[in-house]
Amino acid sequence: MANAKKIIKKIGFSLLAIVVAVLLVVVAYAVYLLVDYSRIDDNKTLAVKNKTAETVKVGTEYSILTYNIGFCAYLPDFGFFMDGGKESRAKSKESVLTTLDGINQLIGGLNPDFIMLEEVDEKATRSHKVNQREYFEKAYSQYNGVFATNYDSSYLFYPFNKPHGKSLAGMLTLSKYGITSSIRRSLPIENSLMKFFDLDRCYSVSRISVDGGKELVLYTVHLSAYTSDGSVATAQIDMLTKDMQKEYENGNYVVCGGDFNKDLLGNSEEIFKRKGEGQTWAQPFPLDYLKDKNLTLVSSLDEQNPIPTCRNADGPYNDKQFVLTVDGFIVSQNVAVKECGVKDGKFTYSDHNPVFMKFELI
C-alpha cells in the first residue's frame, strides 16, 4: 500500500511538472509575440529599381494586371487553415518553384505595361524560404520595380503539427515606365489579438511622370481579410480613397489595383451561384466611400461567362466551393477604362485569378 502511494505521488508530481513546463512555454511564447511585434513606420520611402526613365502619355492605351499569387502555395488541392482548410505551408520548395513558373507564364502571356502582385514572399517558412520577389524581379528585369513589405511577422506556432512560421512578405509593383518615387502607407489594423493573425497591412504609392508635367500615381493594395471588427476594414478603405482623391485634386491620374477582400460585385453569391454560408469576410464593397471623390470601382463581369477572381480556400478546389470577385481596380475620373477582364487561371496556381485592364489617361 505504501509503495502504491509513493507511485501515485510520483505520478502526480510528474504531471504537475509537465503542466508547469507547458504553462512556462506558453507564457514565454506570448511574451515573445508581444516583444517581437512591431509595425512598419508610415510614409516609409521605398527603394526603386529603375531601368528606364520613360514617361507615359495622355491618349495612349496602357495595360495593367493585378494578381494575388497566394505565396505560391495554393495549388488546387490546398486549403488554408485560416479559411477552414488544413494546410499552413506550401507542399515543398519544388512545388513553390513550379507554381512561380506557372504564374510567370500567365502574366507573360498578357504582356502588361504595369504589374501589381500581392502576397509575394521574400523569406517565409510557409513558402520554404523561396525568394519570390527576387524571382519576379529577374523574370521582368526589363521592368522598373518597387517592393513594399506588407509584414515581417513573428513566428506563428500554429497549427501545432506544422506551424505557419515566420513570414517576410509584401507587394511588388513592376512598370515598363520610369518610377520617380514610391512610399509605403500603413493602414489601420486591429489592436486585439487578431493583429497576430491578420498581421500588418499597407499600400504602396508609386509615381510615374506623364508628358506635360502631371503624374500617373499607382496604388498597389492588399486590404485585411480576417478582421473581427468591421470598422477596421472600412477605415482602411476610407484612408485609401481619401489619399487617392487628394492626388486627383492635384491634377494627377490615379490607378489603384489589388486585393480588396471585399465583394466588388456586391452579390457574387447570386452571380456565380455558389453558396457562401458563414463567409462573413466577403462583405460588399462600400461604394459610399467613392461618392464625391471622382473615383470609380472597376470590376470585371462577363455576364455570359462570369469568372470569379477568388475562391474560399476552406479545402481543395471543387465546383461547389464559394467563389467571388475581390480583385480589381479603382481609377480616377481622368482615367478611361477601355477593357477589364479576368484571366481564367482556373485557380491552378493561386486561390486568385489575375485581373487585366486596359486604360487611357484623358
Side-chain angles (χ1 to χ4, degrees):
M1 182 65 71
N3 286 336
K5 286 182 178 180
K6 285 181 180 180
I7 292 171
I8 292 171
K9 193 173 182 179
K10 285 182 179 180
I11 292 172
F13 278 125
S14 298
L15 290 174
L16 180 60
I18 291 170
V19 170
V20 170
V22 170
L23 287 174
L24 287 173
V25 170
V26 170
V27 170
Y29 179 65
V31 170
Y32 156 72
L33 287 179
L34 291 170
V35 171
D36 192 59
Y37 179 83
S38 64
R39 293 205 68 190
I40 300 170
D41 291 338
D42 192 15
N43 285 302
K44 180 180 175 63
T45 300
L46 300 174
V48 178
K49 293 184 178 180
N50 265 336
K51 305 290 183 178
T52 174
E54 189 175 353
T55 61
V56 297
K57 297 177 174 63
V58 174
T60 300
E61 186 174 276
Y62 299 99
S63 58
I64 188 168
L65 174 142
T66 180
Y67 193 5
N68 182 331
I69 66 170
F71 57 92
C72 296
Y74 288 80
L75 298 175
D77 61 351
F78 185 89
F80 191 49
F81 75 100
M82 289 194 71
D83 290 335
K86 296 179 180 179
E87 285 78 34
S88 61
R89 304 179 186 179
K91 282 186 175 181
S92 65
K93 181 177 180 178
E94 290 69 29
S95 76
V96 172
L97 293 171
T98 299
T99 302
L100 277 168
D101 289 340
I103 289 169
N104 185 30
Q105 288 180 18
L106 268 180
I107 297 171
L110 294 168
N111 189 28
D113 296 304
F114 309 98
I115 301 170
M116 298 172 166
L117 302 178
E118 302 86 47
E119 286 201 49
V120 180
D121 280 357
E122 192 168 16
K123 185 178 181 182
T125 309
R126 63 190 187 179
S127 52
H128 302 275
K129 299 183 180 180
V130 173
N131 192 328
Q132 299 166 10
R133 169 191 179 177
E134 185 178 78
Y135 175 96
F136 286 111
E137 287 178 342
K138 285 182 178 178
Y140 297 90
S141 58
Q142 73 276 27
Y143 283 64
N144 309 298
V146 171
F147 185 79
T149 299
N150 211 357
Y151 44 80
D152 185 0
S153 72
S154 306
Y155 193 98
L156 180 61
F157 203 85
Y158 190 84
F160 300 121
N161 62 325
K162 190 178 287 186
H164 191 58
K166 188 171 175 59
S167 301
L168 175 58
M171 302 175 297
L172 182 62
T173 304
L174 299 167
S175 167
K176 289 183 179 179
Y177 301 86
I179 300 172
T180 59
S181 66
S182 185
I183 62 170
R184 178 194 187 278
R185 295 299 315 275
S186 293
L187 284 162
I189 61 169
E190 288 194 61
N191 291 317
S192 68
L193 289 175
M194 279 302 297
K195 68 185 181 183
F196 296 111
F197 292 91
D198 199 31
L199 307 173
D200 210 344
R201 292 290 170 177
C202 71
Y203 58 85
S204 64
V205 185
S206 302
R207 299 178 179 277
I208 297 166
S209 295
V210 178
D211 285 0
K214 296 181 180 180
E215 292 179 308
L216 168 60
V217 187
L218 298 180
Y219 287 71
T220 304
V221 67
H222 187 187
L223 301 184
S224 292
Y226 302 110
T227 55
S228 58
D229 180 357
S231 66
V232 172
T234 51
Q236 291 180 351
I237 293 171
D238 185 45
M239 175 182 167
L240 172 67
T241 54
K242 282 179 177 176
D243 195 354
M244 294 173 64
Q245 170 66 3
K246 287 178 184 176
E247 291 295 340
Y248 173 78
E249 290 174 346
N250 288 335
N252 294 323
Y253 305 89
V254 184
V255 176
C256 172
D259 178 357
F260 295 92
N261 271 313
K262 294 289 181 186
D263 186 349
L264 302 189
L265 303 178
N267 59 342
S268 286
E269 189 175 30
E270 297 173 21
I271 292 169
F272 300 114
K273 297 179 173 56
R274 300 201 195 180
K275 295 296 183 181
E277 290 98 341
Q279 303 304 325
T280 56
W281 65 276
Q283 296 298 308
F285 185 93
L287 293 173
D288 286 349
Y289 284 87
L290 301 183
K291 283 184 178 179
D292 305 319
K293 289 181 180 173
N294 300 293
L295 301 173
T296 302
L297 177 66
V298 183
S299 55
S300 174
L301 177 61
D302 181 343
E303 294 184 359
Q304 300 302 316
N305 182 32
I307 301 170
T309 73
C310 178
R311 72 174 177 94
N312 188 55
D314 54 349
Y317 180 58
N318 61 74
D319 59 7
K320 294 182 180 179
Q321 195 171 57
F322 180 52
V323 294
L324 69 166
T325 290
V326 299
D327 309 270
F329 300 93
I330 299 175
V331 302
S332 54
Q333 209 168 59
N334 52 2
V335 176
V337 176
K338 300 297 183 179
E339 177 188 331
C340 186
V342 180
K343 174 67 174 177
D344 192 3
K346 303 185 185 302
F347 304 118
T348 303
Y349 305 113
S350 173
D351 57 330
H352 290 253
N353 282 320
V355 183
F356 185 75
M357 182 177 78
K358 295 180 179 180
F359 66 95
E360 273 184 27
L361 311 183
I362 57 176

